[in-house]
Amino acid sequence: MTPDQPSWLYGTEPRRQVVALGFALVLSAVALDYLMSGHLSLFFDLCFITLCLYLAIRVEQSALSLGAMLPPALMLAVLVLLGLAAPQVVARADDAVVQAVVTGLTNHSVALVAGWALALIALEGRRRGVLSSDDR
């Protein structure tokens, strides 16, 4: 990295650390939102979108494909865990796991699409920035 290149072009976190950080942060957002409102609300959605962008910037250059796959995996994993442990957080209390996941995906699809889109845009920007800086 040269001094005239922005530091966000080069992530520093390896694959495993990005996955662990992603799960820790998204579960923290779920816990905070549950404590504040008793269900997943707009707060979780905004945290998820921000988290997707943050992870896309932090992942190292060799793991950009992981950054592209992580947002839907995080959302699905959180919804499955909530469907198993506390379905009332994302759906009705008597809903089965699959129904809770489908309801959660429906209610938070805008956050998933927005977070995923921002992550893909950031990853493509990083890829193009590194490619154009290599041409110098």
Side-chain angles (χ1 to χ4, degrees):
M1 183 170 81
T2 62
D4 62 332
Q5 294 173 334
S7 62
W8 66 272
L9 284 178
Y10 299 92
T12 58
E13 301 294 330
R15 294 172 194 264
R16 286 185 182 197
Q17 288 180 358
V18 168
V19 171
L21 179 64
F23 277 112
L25 290 176
V26 78
L27 291 176
S28 297
V30 168
L32 279 173
D33 201 14
Y34 180 71
L35 288 174
M36 291 189 305
S37 66
H39 64 282
L40 292 188
S41 65
L42 181 62
F43 176 78
F44 170 76
D45 291 346
L46 295 174
C47 288
F48 185 80
I49 292 168
T50 306
L51 172 69
C52 291
L53 182 58
Y54 176 72
L55 293 175
I57 292 171
R58 295 293 302 187
V59 69
E60 64 187 2
Q61 193 69 24
S62 64
L64 291 182
S65 61
L66 173 74
M69 296 182 305
L70 201 52
L74 283 174
M75 180 68 82
L76 186 62
V78 163
L79 292 175
V80 168
L81 286 173
L82 286 173
L84 289 169
Q88 73 277 5
V89 175
V90 291
R92 293 190 321 244
D94 59 342
D95 282 350
V97 175
V98 174
Q99 182 61 41
V101 170
V102 170
T103 302
L105 283 174
T106 303
N107 292 337
H108 302 284
S109 61
V110 173
L112 175 60
V113 170
W116 201 3
L118 280 175
L120 291 174
I121 290 167
L123 292 167
E124 180 62 15
R126 287 183 58 195
R127 190 186 69 79
R128 286 185 183 208
V130 169
L131 289 178
S132 66
S133 67
D134 289 342
D135 293 339
R136 291 183 191 172

